[in-house]
Amino acid sequence: MNGQEHEPFVVRAGGEIDLDTAPTLRRALAAALASHREVVLDLSEVTFMDCAGLGALVQACDQADRRGRRLILRGAGRCVVRLLELTGLRRRLVLES
């Protein structure tokens, strides 16, 4: 095994995660979780997220749980964190600053 197998795989999202962009994020997270034990979703450049984005996060979290993987959200801004808190998802997802 090489050192990269122990490094988390980073998926970066930016701008708005909405009905138009959530499917792309969903596919990227599914592919990353299929082949990596730990996936970090970098949300530091996200300016908006709606229910479609939340759905992508829930699906990815479910996939990670089923496969024994770890999904970490990093750099979520105030608007995203607030949305996660309002929906109760803050308790289910791992958030890093």
Side-chain angles (χ1 to χ4, degrees):
M1 292 205 302
N2 63 38
Q4 288 182 332
E5 292 175 4
H6 297 290
E7 295 292 318
F9 184 83
V10 178
V11 175
R12 288 182 173 79
E16 298 182 355
I17 302 176
D18 56 19
L19 190 59
D20 291 331
T21 60
T24 302
L25 177 61
R26 191 181 304 260
R27 286 189 298 272
L29 288 172
L33 287 164
S35 56
H36 300 278
R37 289 181 184 198
E38 186 170 277
V39 174
V40 172
L41 174 57
D42 182 345
L43 297 168
S44 59
E45 298 297 319
V46 171
T47 58
F48 173 82
M49 181 183 292
D50 69 6
C51 61
L54 288 175
L57 295 182
V58 169
Q59 182 179 1
C61 187
D62 289 345
Q63 180 183 356
D65 289 347
R66 282 191 312 273
R67 294 178 178 245
R69 313 287 186 173
R70 188 161 186 239
L71 175 65
I72 300 165
L73 306 183
R74 182 178 292 159
R78 208 171 86 221
C79 68
V80 173
V81 171
R82 179 80 174 131
L83 187 59
L84 295 174
E85 288 172 348
L86 288 172
T87 59
L89 289 171
R90 173 71 174 88
R91 292 184 300 264
R92 185 164 178 221
L93 298 167
V94 178
L95 284 157
E96 288 183 352
S97 310

